[in-house]
């Protein structure tokens, strides 16, 4: 492995973990940073596979709560409803993602200009939703009805366009459908687990012949970096959103998208 590749993988892993669960699009940040670092991965697999490190961060932070839900499934209707809501919310992405996988990876992931534009547009959407006078009807993530979860799942599919943000799409959808800010972010956490594990498995299968031992070592470095940095975000994000809302992330998206556009126009 080259030292430059190791450093790039470490930087990109940290970026992935810090941005996966905030509505700024981790994929956009990783792809743009990789573009300017000159980092190449077979089939753009690196950006997807290191997301599993961020998922393990959720599992570690929410381990006790998830274990309680799992143990209570046989006797608790509320636990079964919650698990069912997460699985129902995952279904649209599972179906559409499997159908559109090759187009997403070979066309959308290879278009940095599109990513920057979507980042900026998404920033204005976040500003609009943050200032919109909404009246929440759902405050507890474990009490989301199946119909609400399914609709949020369709919003999540918008994140197949790099730059949209998986967490951003699900949070905006949940807010528009009546969730409060805190539970919308928390449901995005839980919905990420089956969605990103599914994306990991599909991408690994699709690129199994293109990956080498060196690729595996680079991915492992990014994976660990994503895990460590994501733990920090998961532990602090809900309280931050409760206090500050989503406007800070909107301004960040607009700034990164604008800087990216200028950089692409100047240096390609």
């Amino acid at each position: 492995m080259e030292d430059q590749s190791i450093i790039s993988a470490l930087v990109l892993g940290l970026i992935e973990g810090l941005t996966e669960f905030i509505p700024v699009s981790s994929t956009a940040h990783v792809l743009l940073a990789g573009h300017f670092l000159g980092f190449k991965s077979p089939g753009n697999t690196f950006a997807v596979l290191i997301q599993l490190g961020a998922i393990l961060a959720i599992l570690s932070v929410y381990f006790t709560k998830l274990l309680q839900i799992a143990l209570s499934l046989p006797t608790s209707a509320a636990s079964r409803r919650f698990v069912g809501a997460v699985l129902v919310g995952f279904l649209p992405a599972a179906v559409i993602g499997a159908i559109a996988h090759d187009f997403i990876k070979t066309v959308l992931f290879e278009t940095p200009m599109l990513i920057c534009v979507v980042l900026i547009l998404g920033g204005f959407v976040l500003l609009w939703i943050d200032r919109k006078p909404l009246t929440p009807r759902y405050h507890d993530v474990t009490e989301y009805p199946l119909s609400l979860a399914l609709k949020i799942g369709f919003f999540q599919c918008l994140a197949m366009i790099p730059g949209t943000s998986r967490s951003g799409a699900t949070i905006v959808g949940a807010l528009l459908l009546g969730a409060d800010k805190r539970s919308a972010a928390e449901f995005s956490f839980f919905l990420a687990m089956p969605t990103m594990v599914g994306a990991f498995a599909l991408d690994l299968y699709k690129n199994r012949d293109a990956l080498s031992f060196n690729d595996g070592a680079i991915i492992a470095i990014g994976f660990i970096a994503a895990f460590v940095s994501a733990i920090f975000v998961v532990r602090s994000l809900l309280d931050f959103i409760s206090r500050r809302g989503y406007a800070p992330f909107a301004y960040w998206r607009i700034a990164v998208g604008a800087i990216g556009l200028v950089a692409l126009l100047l240096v390609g």
Side-chain angles (χ1 to χ4, degrees):
M1 288 185 292
E2 296 180 2
D3 290 343
Q4 184 62 38
S5 294
I6 294 173
I7 294 172
S8 295
L10 180 61
V11 170
L12 295 176
L14 290 172
I15 291 173
E16 161 61 30
L18 291 172
T19 58
E20 178 58 50
F21 301 112
I22 61 177
V24 299
S25 181
S26 63
T27 301
H29 281 70
V30 171
L31 290 177
L32 287 175
H35 175 81
F36 291 114
L37 288 170
F39 182 84
K40 299 294 182 182
S41 173
N44 282 310
T45 297
F46 180 87
V48 175
L49 297 188
I50 64 171
Q51 291 178 342
L52 193 61
I55 285 300
L56 290 182
I58 292 183
L59 291 175
S60 67
V61 172
Y62 281 93
F63 178 78
T64 301
K65 183 172 185 176
L66 292 170
L67 181 61
Q68 290 173 345
I69 291 171
L71 292 176
S72 65
L73 280 175
T75 57
S76 171
S79 293
R80 291 194 294 272
R81 181 178 63 246
F82 171 67
V83 172
V86 172
L87 294 177
V88 165
F90 162 64
L91 281 177
V95 174
I96 297 173
I99 293 172
H101 176 272
D102 292 343
F103 174 76
I104 294 168
K105 294 301 292 298
T106 59
V107 178
L108 298 183
F109 271 42
E110 297 286 354
T111 315
M113 194 72 71
L114 171 67
I115 294 172
C116 292
V117 171
V118 175
L119 272 173
I120 294 170
L121 293 177
F124 285 111
V125 170
L126 271 183
L127 281 178
W128 170 72
I129 197 72
D130 197 56
R131 296 170 179 176
K132 188 175 177 62
L134 300 171
T135 304
R137 303 191 305 278
Y138 307 103
H139 303 274
D140 187 340
V141 70
T142 63
E143 296 180 0
Y144 279 15
L146 296 181
S147 59
L148 174 64
L150 181 62
K151 293 172 185 175
I152 295 173
F154 279 109
F155 271 95
Q156 180 176 238
C157 293
L158 295 173
M160 293 177 190
I161 304 172
T164 302
S165 170
R166 187 204 58 78
S167 61
T170 55
I171 288 169
V172 167
L175 292 174
L176 288 175
L177 293 167
D180 70 344
K181 291 179 179 180
R182 186 181 182 92
S183 72
E186 193 170 23
F187 189 73
S188 176
F189 285 172
F190 291 117
L191 188 55
M193 286 186 275
T195 302
M196 291 164 61
V197 169
F200 176 94
L202 178 61
D203 216 70
L204 188 62
Y205 173 77
K206 290 273 190 179
N207 292 280
R208 63 192 184 282
D209 296 327
L211 296 173
S212 65
F213 174 78
N214 283 342
D215 293 320
I218 291 296
I219 289 169
I221 292 170
F223 178 98
I224 294 169
F227 171 75
V228 173
S229 56
I231 285 180
F232 168 77
V233 173
V234 172
R235 286 178 174 170
S236 59
L237 180 62
L238 295 182
D239 288 338
F240 180 87
I241 288 173
S242 296
R243 297 193 311 269
R244 303 290 299 276
Y246 294 105
F249 305 116
Y251 292 123
W252 175 260
R253 290 179 62 107
I254 294 168
V256 171
I259 293 169
L261 279 178
V262 171
L264 287 170
L265 292 172
L266 291 178
V267 301

